[in-house]
Amino acid sequence: MIILKKFIAACIFSTFVAGGMTAQTITSKSPHSDAHRQLLANQAKSKDQIRLVEKNTFIDLIDDLEPEPDIYTEGWNSKAVNPFKESDVPDSQIIDVTGYFMPVPGKVTSNYGYRKRFGRMHKGIDLAIRSNDTIYAAFDGKCRLTAYERKGYGNYIILRHPNGLETVYGHLNKALVKPDQVVKAGEPIGLGGSTGRSTGPHLHFETRFMGYAINPAAIFDFANQTTHTDTYTFDKKTYTKPRNFAPAGTTLAKAEKENPYRAAVSEKDIYTVKKGDTLSSIAKSYGMSATTLRKINEMSNSDVIKVGQILKLK
C-alpha cells in the first residue's frame, strides 16, 4: 500500500512537469524574512546616501527656516504658559544674577534680535554644542514645563528661578528633568540636539522676566563665560539691548579672531572670503540664506567661492 501511494504521487508529479507545470513548493518563512531584511537594508542604504549629501547643500535647503516662534504667545494656551498680566509688569526691576552657571560653554552662533526677512524677533541666543552635549541650569529654580514644539523649539524646558527670571532651553534631544522638579544652578537638565526647526545641533537659550524676552547678552558675557554684573536691571525700554563691560577693544578683537565674519563690520557691504569659509556659513553669519547671497553676487548654484574673493552683502 505504501509503495502504491508513492508510485501514484510520482506519476502526478511527472504529469505536472510534462505539462509544463511545476508543483508549488512550500517552504519556511525564512526567505520572506530574508527579503524583508534586504528591504530594510536597502532603505538604510538610501538613508545613508541622503546623509552623505554635501553639508553645504543641505544647509542651503533649510537655511530659510524661520526663527523659533514665541512659545509664550504661539501654539500654547497663553493663560497657562504666561500667567503675567501687562499691568503687573513693573517698568523697572533689579534682578540678582549671582549664583549663575553658564548653560553651555559654546560660542554664540546666532544673536538675539529682529529678523527682517521673517518680520519677527529671534528672542534668544543660539549657542554652539555637539549633539548630546550636557545642558545645565543657569540658576537655582524649578522646572515649570517640558514640552515639544515641532515647528520651532523641538524638545524644550522652561525653568523658573527665585530671582524672578525664567530660562528657556530649546532643540534638546532629551530632557533630564520633569515639571515641578527642583534644580540647582549647574545641574544637568538636558541633552542638546537639533530637534524641531533647526539647521544643526545648538542650544536656543532665552532669559525672560514676566513674559518679556530679555536679550541674554544683557545678562551674560558669553565670550568670557560670566555675567556682566551681579545684578541686572530690567527696563521695558532697554531689555532688548546687550551690554558690554569688557575693556575697550578687547572683546571685539577677540570676537574678530574667533569669528572672522566680524572682520567685515567696518565694511558692512562686502566680505573677503577666508580659508575654511563656505557660502552657507558666511550667509548665516549675516542673517541671510545662501540662496540670497548667491543672488546678490549673481552666482549660480555650481559656482564655488575662493579664498580672497570679495562678496557683496547688500
Side-chain angles (χ1 to χ4, degrees):
M1 188 67 179
I2 294 175
I3 295 174
L4 179 62
K5 287 182 179 180
K6 288 183 177 180
F7 175 77
I8 294 172
C11 290
I12 293 173
F13 177 78
S14 298
T15 301
F16 276 122
V17 173
M21 300 175 62
T22 57
Q24 180 179 1
T25 301
I26 299 175
T27 61
S28 69
K29 65 178 182 178
S30 59
H32 175 268
S33 299
D34 290 340
H36 182 62
R37 282 194 293 270
Q38 184 61 44
L39 176 60
L40 293 178
N42 290 337
Q43 291 176 345
K45 289 178 181 178
S46 297
K47 291 178 181 178
D48 289 340
Q49 290 171 354
I50 292 173
R51 293 190 185 100
L52 290 175
V53 172
E54 185 180 2
K55 182 179 179 182
N56 292 342
T57 303
F58 174 69
I59 292 176
D60 288 351
L61 294 174
I62 58 179
D63 207 24
D64 285 321
L65 297 178
E66 297 184 28
E68 292 82 2
D70 185 350
I71 56 176
Y72 280 74
T73 58
E74 299 181 30
W76 281 8
N77 180 336
S78 61
K79 292 182 180 179
V81 176
N82 184 8
F84 307 108
K85 297 179 180 178
E86 177 60 29
S87 59
D88 294 334
V89 182
D91 291 331
S92 180
Q93 178 73 37
I94 296 176
I95 300 171
D96 181 0
V97 292
T98 57
Y100 71 92
F101 194 94
M102 302 302 290
V104 293
K107 302 173 185 176
V108 174
T109 58
S110 183
N111 287 305
Y112 173 104
Y114 183 71
R115 297 293 186 264
K116 185 176 181 180
R117 71 182 187 275
F118 302 129
R120 67 199 300 176
M121 287 285 290
H122 180 231
K123 296 189 175 182
I125 273 183
D126 293 343
L127 299 168
I129 62 166
R130 295 169 300 182
S131 185
N132 289 321
D133 273 357
T134 302
I135 309 301
Y136 302 95
F139 302 99
D140 291 350
K142 180 183 287 189
C143 177
R144 184 162 70 81
L145 183 69
T146 62
Y148 178 77
E149 216 287 329
R150 181 175 64 85
K151 294 183 178 180
Y153 292 80
N155 294 314
Y156 64 92
I157 295 170
I158 296 180
L159 302 182
R160 179 169 291 181
H161 309 287
N163 60 9
L165 291 175
E166 285 195 328
T167 49
V168 182
Y169 310 77
H171 304 304
L172 307 178
N173 275 343
K174 183 180 182 179
L176 301 178
V177 293
K178 298 179 179 180
D180 295 324
Q181 181 175 335
V182 174
V183 297
K184 294 292 184 180
E187 181 178 341
I189 59 170
L191 300 179
S194 185
T195 57
R197 192 178 287 264
S198 169
T199 59
H202 70 279
L203 173 68
H204 176 82
F205 178 63
E206 293 184 13
T207 49
R208 290 182 177 254
F209 175 70
M210 300 189 76
Y212 277 72
I214 299 167
N215 187 339
I219 299 173
F220 293 96
D221 176 355
F222 291 97
N224 296 300
Q225 297 288 289
T226 185
T227 54
H228 293 297
T229 51
D230 287 343
T231 61
Y232 166 72
T233 301
F234 167 79
D235 188 296
K236 287 183 178 179
K237 296 179 181 179
T238 62
Y239 72 94
T240 62
K241 299 178 181 179
R243 293 192 296 170
N244 179 16
F245 295 104
T250 301
T251 301
L252 179 60
K254 182 177 181 181
E256 288 180 353
K257 184 177 181 181
E258 293 179 350
N259 183 0
Y261 308 118
R262 295 190 179 276
V265 168
S266 59
E267 301 176 38
K268 296 182 180 179
D269 296 338
I270 62 171
Y271 175 73
T272 304
V273 177
K274 295 178 175 57
K275 185 177 180 180
D277 285 342
T278 66
L279 200 69
S280 293
S281 64
I282 296 170
K284 188 173 182 180
S285 69
Y286 285 103
M288 67 178 79
S289 69
T291 301
T292 300
L293 188 56
R294 284 196 184 95
K295 289 180 180 178
I296 293 174
N297 289 275
E298 300 179 350
M299 298 171 63
S300 68
N301 290 338
S302 60
D303 287 340
V304 178
I305 59 174
K306 299 178 181 179
V307 175
Q309 180 177 347
I310 304 296
L311 296 177
K312 293 183 291 184
L313 301 175
K314 293 182 180 180

